[in-house]
Amino acid sequence: TLQRVIWIIGNLRLEKAVPKLSILAKDCQDFVIVTEIINTLIKIGTSDAIKIVEELSTHTSNIIRKYASEKLNYYLTRNDTERLK
């Protein structure tokens, strides 16, 4: 399924998939797919990937906005903690 493919992309941290994930996230209204894209972008962790999550934090769907914001805060907090070590 599409969700499984997105999950695999995240586990492999395929940076070259980021532009396609961006297009898919912006065109998709399926919460399950968009949340999987957000998870994958956080796993990839490049500046381009994080920028897309930031954009998704202003999505038209309240639940997607909330999920993107929570994951973004988690990512930023985790990175701040790692820098302090």
Side-chain angles (χ1 to χ4, degrees):
T1 66
L2 179 57
Q3 181 183 2
R4 182 80 171 154
V5 169
I6 296 166
W7 180 83
I8 291 168
I9 289 168
N11 283 346
L12 295 174
R13 291 175 172 75
L14 295 176
E15 292 179 32
K16 63 184 176 183
V18 170
K20 296 290 185 189
L21 291 170
S22 174
I23 293 166
L24 183 58
K26 291 172 185 170
D27 292 342
C28 185
Q29 294 297 318
D30 183 328
F31 172 75
V32 174
I33 298 300
V34 177
T35 55
E36 195 63 53
I37 291 170
I38 292 168
N39 292 336
T40 292
L41 292 168
I42 292 293
K43 285 179 188 176
I44 292 172
T46 62
S47 60
D48 287 341
I50 299 306
K51 181 179 175 188
I52 297 163
V53 178
E54 289 172 345
E55 291 170 4
L56 289 170
S57 70
T58 64
H59 195 275
T60 56
S61 165
N62 184 44
I63 195 164
I64 292 173
R65 278 196 312 269
K66 184 177 180 189
Y67 192 82
S69 295
E70 288 173 358
K71 287 296 185 173
L72 189 59
N73 287 336
Y74 165 79
Y75 172 82
L76 295 173
T77 302
R78 185 186 71 198
N79 281 353
D80 285 346
T81 303
E82 288 177 8
R83 273 188 244 135
L84 294 175
K85 289 182 180 180

